[in-house]
Amino acid sequence: MAALVDTRCVFLKFKVFPHLIPRRFRVKKKWAATLPRITSTKLALQNFDVNYGTQFGERWPSIRVSLLSEQKYGALINNFSSAEELIKGLELQGARDFVYEAQARTWSPGSVSGKPLGDEKLEWSSSLAAGQSGNEVPLSSQVGEGVEMAAATEPPSLSPNIKCFTFPKGDITAFSPARLDGSGLLGYYLLDAASVLPVLALDVQPGHTVLDLCAAPGGKTLAIIQTQACWRLAANDSSVSRTGRLRRILQSYIPREHSTEDRVRITSFDGRRWGELESNTFDRVLVDVPCTTDRHSLLEEENNIFTRSRSKERQTLPLLQSQLLLAGIKAALPGGVVLYSTCTLSQLQNEYVVERAVQAAQEELGVTVHIEDLSPLTQLFRDTFHFAQGMRLGELVLPHLTSNFGPTYFCKLRRIN
């Protein structure tokens, strides 16, 4: 036993001289177990540095810092709750309804008298209508071959009754959690305020039938219901668990009489097949597709699409997005509006998907789709959000330290025939 102990001591002494240790006692390092594994968030950052560094050039460092910093939120007011006192409290904290404030600033002075803007007929600001918003778009330089874009000549028509409070630029005050009112409904829903823009651009008007093709987790669906304009809403998501979460959110914000099956229909179908199930049906279609969710991918390991086991899923995202958008176009009525949106900066998932779907609609279905100019909308909300310049198709909200919303991409399409 003593000899054994002495031998071990010798081995310990000669660890620094591995060539003196007999080969049968040498141990090979297990590199896979000892070296730190690259996390999904680091993998996402490496990917973004390569791709977005090329895409945005000298703007990327600023966007990168903003993505890695704390995100700003907005409070989407629940019109079905007792909101008056709640709104007064938010205003005392310094928060403002960015939708109302933008319209009040942009429409002609003297038109706003403190009433909701939906109650008054206002005149479009002459400075904006004169071309400050860039309404005259040189189509040949803005879009790809075979894709038509309709330039805006009128003020933007927005979905009504949406109230979303944000704190001013540079103010990082956080909203407190929403509370229940006397009827058991929550007063507001916290979300990235930029995600309200696609719903505003969707232009839901009284009597419209609306399809939210990829509805979960439910922020945009809730915003659509807040318009109190759609006659019927179909909210779909391919994931049963996610539609379960959507139901719970709606139960917390919407009275039962406003969320009955004949008004709000929640389903769990493969969205790519929706055009076959209900074609030529809806006045408005929102296609908020699954994407790389850039901010989540940089900050959260859970459910991160940059996990190595999900690499194939990530690579096929543009194809899935194109199929979903094409299904949305098929589901829309002739003359109807389709709004495509993502929460990524990627051109492959944004402009290129729109181009591919519009061309496929023309070539495979014989359906003509025009892409509408959203520059008046970006001019309207330029004091709240930081928009990317020089977009070929659609608009993109860039994260910025003074206004850390987004990223949110959205593009408005109108089905012609």
Side-chain angles (χ1 to χ4, degrees), residues 9-84:
C9 292
V10 170
F11 288 157
L12 288 174
K13 288 179 181 179
F14 284 98
K15 266 190 175 180
V16 292
F17 305 105
H19 59 281
L20 298 179
I21 301 176
R23 184 179 296 277
R24 64 179 178 276
F25 294 117
R26 295 179 191 175
V27 179
K28 183 180 179 181
K29 275 192 176 182
K30 296 182 175 62
W31 293 99
T34 56
L35 289 183
R37 184 169 54 92
I38 298 178
T39 62
S40 301
T41 53
K42 288 183 179 179
L43 193 61
L45 186 58
Q46 292 175 3
N47 182 285
F48 295 163
D49 281 337
V50 172
N51 293 298
Y52 297 158
T54 303
Q55 179 178 333
F56 293 102
E58 61 183 14
R59 291 179 295 170
W60 170 238
S62 172
I63 299 171
R64 185 184 195 268
V65 170
S66 303
L67 280 171
L68 293 170
S69 302
E70 186 175 355
Q71 182 180 14
K72 283 191 75 170
Y73 285 88
L76 176 67
I77 299 299
N78 183 11
N79 292 324
F80 298 98
S81 68
S82 305
E84 291 184 6

Side-chain angles (χ1 to χ4, degrees), residues 235-294:
N236 178 73
D237 197 277
S238 59
S239 168
V240 175
S241 61
R242 286 165 64 87
T243 52
R245 180 185 173 189
L246 173 62
R247 289 179 189 276
R248 291 191 295 273
I249 288 176
L250 296 187
Q251 289 170 0
S252 300
Y253 289 89
I254 311 299
R256 289 183 180 179
E257 60 269 22
H258 290 275
S259 58
T260 55
E261 188 68 22
D262 61 322
R263 291 193 177 190
V264 181
R265 176 165 52 108
I266 300 176
T267 55
S268 295
F269 292 125
D270 183 348
R272 293 171 293 183
R273 296 181 52 208
W274 199 278
E276 304 168 10
L277 300 172
E278 290 183 313
S279 60
N280 309 318
T281 302
F282 297 94
D283 299 288
R284 298 290 185 265
V285 179
L286 176 62
V287 187
D288 183 38
V289 294
C291 63
T292 49
T293 54
D294 293 355

